[in-house]
Amino acid sequence: MLKIAIVGATGYTGLELLRILSCHPEVEITIVTSRKEAEKKVREIFPFEEKFGELVFEEPQPEKIAAKAELAFLCVPHGAAAEMAKALLERGLRVIDLSADFRLKDPLLYEEWYKVPHKAPELLNEAVYGLSEIYADRIKTARLVANPGCYPTASLLPLIPLLKARLISPEGLIIDAKSGVSGAGRSAKLRLIFCEVNEDFCAYNVAAHRHTPEIEQELSLAAGEKLRLNFTTHLIPMNRGILATIYATPLIFKEKTLYEALYDFYVQKTFVKVLPLGEFPHTAHVKGTNLCLIGLKLDSRTGKLIIVSAIDNLVKGASGQAIQNMNLMSGFLEDTALKRRALYP
Ligand SMILES: NC(=O)c1ccc[n+]([C@@H]2O[C@H](COP(=O)([O-])OP(=O)(O)OC[C@H]3O[C@@H](n4cnc5c(N)ncnc54)[C@H](OP(=O)(O)O)[C@@H]3O)[C@@H](O)[C@H]2O)c1
């Protein structure tokens, strides 16, 4: 059994790891951390948690974690993750970081967007970007995986194959994305309380969302040239789910060719499904699953390719993909514990 630590186990992504890993036959969670709930049992905070309910939350101290675990999931805010990752790697653990700390390769870009200097820039080259379907080979041997952001996962999965195949232009890409409220985490914030969110729908961080440089970094790699794009995020009054509507300029004006290129790229992949032409995904169809569902249409009137992509932000957008990466790193079947039906309706 692989011994697992969840650092930041009282947050939404930590809790989602507990939920999914409780069905994983090859791992044992040996330590969970929380500063606020330290010394309480997991079941005191989450009474529904049966398998790991008797575990006791501990302070996030690297020595304690290293004494009990071989692989750690970091479910903590950016900044805190870099320091913890460094301390755990030095003690021989493998690390999957769900925060943004190791996603950007350029520490100055990190400082520009996250407004703090990077706390472990020497690890940035080693960190493998954990977009499982694209970087599986590198993930398999990684010590440190930078799990992608939720919006980037929904955006990159459809766009990378089309850019690599030179079927769409790197110029003029527009990503219009909506997220459920759990995307902002479990700590209390005024703008996220029920009356502020319920029956409301708004754009936020317009032209300034921190996932922008992450998406641009990965799409630039796929395109083989530096690109910039418009990325607008919206908060939608539901618990989970991301829907990204993407507008691209095709370089070939044949819907069937564009469709087949994307379909063929993912046909052997368990978790990315390109829907039949004319069908588009719903967030309810991926809720609780590790799936990314994609639909596309070429608008013959305007010449734009419109792609719609849906994920559950807490599963394929965070903890599910992190477990997929752990499976790859550990030689387990890639879909172990991850083949779940949607929680539909
Ligand atoms: N929510 C999503 O959909 C999503 C998707 C992709 C990636 N992510 C990223 O994943 C990470 C976790 O997200 P989340 O939504 O689970 O956050 P969250 O609900 O706010 O939970 C954060 C967890 O980290 C702990 N924590 C906070 N500050 C800490 C610190 N300085 N040192 C150690 N532990 C600390 C908290 O417990 P204590 O305060 O009690 O220690 C809590 O358990 C974030 O970096 C987030 O950006 C989130």
Side-chain angles (χ1 to χ4, degrees):
M1 289 285 215
L2 180 67
K3 295 191 186 101
I4 299 290
I6 302 178
V7 183
T10 51
Y12 285 141
T13 61
L15 184 56
E16 195 67 9
L17 283 169
L18 280 167
R19 181 176 81 90
I20 302 173
L21 290 178
S22 67
C23 302
H24 199 299
E26 312 274 3
V27 309
E28 182 189 359
I29 298 175
T30 48
I31 176 164
V32 288
T33 83
S34 163
R35 298 160 310 164
K36 295 190 197 88
E37 309 297 354
E39 296 182 18
K40 287 187 190 149
K41 287 186 175 178
V42 168
R43 64 169 171 71
E44 290 179 69
I45 313 299
F46 304 125
F48 48 82
E49 186 51 58
E50 280 186 25
K51 186 164 178 187
F52 303 115
E54 292 301 313
L55 274 175
V56 174
F57 289 111
E58 301 186 38
E59 289 284 343
Q61 290 164 3
E63 301 74 24
K64 278 190 182 177
I65 297 166
K68 292 190 179 177
E70 299 160 285
L71 184 147
F73 292 97
L74 306 186
C75 303
V76 301
H78 65 270
E83 283 179 314
M84 180 59 79
K86 188 174 176 192
L88 294 179
L89 289 168
E90 281 167 4
R91 289 166 174 78
L93 276 75
R94 290 178 296 157
V95 172
I96 300 175
D97 175 24
L98 280 77
S99 89
D101 276 354
F102 296 102
R103 296 179 195 156
L104 297 178
K105 291 292 171 201
D106 179 352
L108 296 178
L109 199 59
Y110 176 90
E111 187 167 345
E112 182 187 331
W113 285 84
Y114 289 87
K115 310 295 177 209
V116 285
H118 201 284
K119 292 182 178 154
E122 69 280 11
L123 292 172
L124 287 173
N125 264 345
E126 179 184 347
V128 175
Y129 190 67
L131 193 60
S132 318
E133 282 72 19
I134 305 297
Y135 292 115
D137 286 346
R138 295 187 56 207
I139 292 165
K140 281 177 188 164
T141 56
R143 254 185 358 140
L144 172 60
V145 167
N147 219 59
C150 44
Y151 284 122
T153 296
S155 308
L156 295 172
L157 286 171
L159 286 173
I160 285 176
L162 294 172
L163 278 169
K164 275 191 175 165
R166 306 276 184 267
L167 288 171
I168 57 172
S169 169
E171 283 170 25
L173 284 168
I174 297 173
I175 302 171
D176 177 316
K178 289 99 188 161
S179 173
V181 185
S182 62
R186 189 163 170 261
S187 61
K189 296 168 196 102
L190 179 63
R191 71 181 169 87
L192 299 178
I193 64 175
F194 183 79
C195 286
E196 302 293 318
V197 171
N198 187 41
E199 296 188 40
D200 188 35
F201 178 31
C202 63
Y204 68 98
N205 292 350
V206 176
H209 195 285
R210 284 170 166 168
H211 287 169
T212 309
E214 182 181 337
I215 298 172
E216 288 181 344
Q217 168 184 286
E218 292 304 312
L219 292 185
S220 297
L221 285 170
E225 63 182 86
K226 197 165 166 44
L227 64 73
R228 290 224 159 144
L229 49 76
N230 288 105
F231 172 54
T232 308
T233 49
H234 304 76
L235 190 66
I236 200 140
M238 59 186 193
N239 290 350
R240 289 166 181 250
I242 284 185
L243 194 83
T245 306
I246 302 167
Y247 302 86
T249 304
L251 297 174
I252 289 176
F253 290 91
K254 283 195 185 129
E255 188 178 68
K256 195 162 171 280
T257 307
L258 295 161
Y259 175 81
E260 282 175 356
L262 201 58
Y263 181 87
D264 290 349
F265 191 89
Y266 287 118
V267 69
Q268 305 288 353
K269 307 285 181 197
T270 310
F271 297 118
V272 184
K273 299 287 167 213
V274 182
L275 300 176
L277 274 172
E279 291 183 21
F280 294 92
H282 295 218
T283 55
H285 298 167
V286 295
K287 189 174 173 188
T289 79
N290 198 47
L291 288 173
C292 174
L293 297 184
I294 301 168
L296 63 82
K297 180 162 183 68
L298 181 62
D299 184 339
S300 56
R301 269 181 348 103
T302 62
K304 288 285 178 199
L305 178 67
I306 303 168
I307 306 166
V308 183
S309 153
I311 61 167
D312 183 326
N313 55 294
L314 292 178
V315 190
K316 186 60 175 164
S319 308
Q321 183 150 246
I323 291 168
Q324 193 179 348
N325 289 332
M326 177 200 75
N327 287 339
L328 288 167
M329 291 161 83
S330 308
F332 305 145
L333 286 177
E334 190 174 345
D335 61 5
T336 310
L338 290 170
K339 285 185 112 174
R340 284 158 185 270
R341 292 189 53 192
L343 297 168
Y344 183 85

